[in-house]
Amino acid sequence: MTLINTCMLMLVLQPLFVYLALFKQPEFHPMTDTPVKNDDALFLFVTPGVSVFYFSQFFEALLYLGGVWVLGLLLAVILASKAKKPVTKDDAISFTIAGFIFFGIIKLIAMAIAYFFMDDPANDESVFSVSQLFSVDYLYNALWPTLYFLVLMIITLVIKVIEHHSSFKKAPSGLLITLGAALAGVAPLFGEAYIVGIIANFIIFIVFCSLCLKIDVKKDPSAGAIGLFFGYILMMGIGFSVICKVIYELFFN
């Protein structure tokens, strides 16, 4: 994605960021009148950090994205009198720094993936550029196992919801969650972006497994304990996958 297109995208997102930072209701309300840290304020300060993706033109990107950021801050200042959540000076400083660190880590991970797992590590910008993150063909070729894993977990959640509202004697969702825990680590072996696949599958499994367990807990408060079993299968699958990947890289590649 070109710098101009990125600036346009971030400009369109500024009103959403302002809403999340100032007006989104917190998920849990404090039991006392003591103010709670506004974690959603980070959305107001992530825009400058995106400039680290454009390393070869960093200062130009920082100038353009900084301008977009200022427009978002001006909108926040205009609406500050009606805001439901405060944004402090400490929030501004800490979240701005955190934005640069967060996107910098993503950039380093992308460069590492390009160097170790792509065909041409000589030029990381051409191998794994920001524009490829928005390319459907590239994402599918690199992460198709993760796509099908996501479909499996969505189907599992749908079945779990159906089971909750019906009276099945045999519940297939438990078997599917166990299968998903094992496949979360194994599936990325067949794609072209192993590390990204592992991370994505881990997050996908944790999210959907947690949703399924919340449904079970509504009927049986002790049902959440089985999450330890699913976690064990997940870590065993990832460990097995890492061993297979290391053996392949050392002896067959």
Side-chain angles (χ1 to χ4, degrees):
M1 178 178 289
T2 65
L3 176 58
I4 297 301
N5 288 339
T6 300
C7 290
M8 294 176 62
L9 174 62
M10 298 306 295
L11 181 62
V12 171
L13 291 176
Q14 291 306 307
L16 174 62
F17 292 162
V18 172
Y19 165 77
L20 292 172
L22 301 182
F23 298 100
K24 178 191 172 187
Q25 291 288 358
E27 185 175 355
F28 300 102
H29 295 279
M31 301 301 294
T32 65
D33 294 333
T34 303
V36 178
K37 182 177 177 62
N38 182 9
D39 292 329
D40 291 325
L42 67 91
F43 289 102
L44 276 178
F45 306 101
V46 298
T47 302
V50 179
S51 57
V52 301
F53 284 119
Y54 300 91
F55 190 77
S56 60
Q57 51 181 143
F58 175 76
F59 292 104
E60 181 183 359
L62 183 61
L63 177 63
Y64 288 162
L65 289 168
V68 173
W69 178 45
V70 169
L71 292 176
L73 291 181
L74 289 175
L75 179 60
V77 170
I78 293 171
L79 300 176
S81 60
K82 300 180 180 180
K84 298 179 180 179
K85 297 181 293 184
V87 178
T88 66
K89 182 179 179 181
D90 290 339
D91 290 334
I93 296 174
S94 60
F95 286 138
T96 301
I97 295 174
F100 281 99
I101 295 175
F102 174 75
F103 290 114
I105 292 174
I106 292 179
K107 177 66 175 179
L108 290 175
I109 292 174
M111 293 173 63
I113 293 172
Y115 185 83
F116 289 106
F117 299 108
M118 300 299 175
D119 293 334
D120 182 14
N123 186 353
D124 69 282
E125 292 292 338
S126 63
V127 175
F128 196 86
S129 63
V130 175
S131 62
Q132 288 176 318
L133 292 175
F134 298 90
S135 170
V136 176
D137 291 338
Y138 175 81
L139 289 175
Y140 180 80
N141 291 332
L143 296 171
W144 65 266
T146 296
L147 174 62
Y148 289 116
F149 179 75
L150 175 61
V151 172
L152 171 64
M153 297 309 299
I154 292 174
I155 293 174
T156 301
L157 180 60
V158 171
I159 292 176
K160 175 63 70 176
V161 172
I162 295 174
E163 290 173 356
H164 179 69
H165 294 285
S166 305
S167 56
F168 288 115
K169 293 183 179 180
K170 294 184 179 180
S173 61
L175 178 60
L176 289 176
I177 296 175
T178 304
L179 177 63
L183 289 177
V186 176
L189 289 171
F190 302 95
E192 297 179 6
Y194 177 76
I195 295 179
V196 175
I198 285 285
I199 296 173
N201 285 7
F202 179 83
I203 295 173
I204 290 170
F205 179 81
I206 292 298
V207 170
F208 281 90
C209 183
S210 298
L211 292 174
C212 291
L213 291 178
K214 286 182 179 179
I215 294 174
D216 283 337
V217 169
K218 292 180 180 179
K219 287 186 176 181
D220 181 6
S222 64
I226 197 173
L228 295 176
F229 170 74
F230 293 139
Y232 174 77
I233 298 297
L234 173 65
M235 298 313 298
M236 290 292 291
I238 292 176
F240 173 78
S241 173
V242 170
I243 292 173
C244 291
K245 184 66 176 178
V246 170
I247 292 176
Y248 175 79
E249 292 294 328
L250 289 177
F251 299 104
F252 300 100
N253 191 16

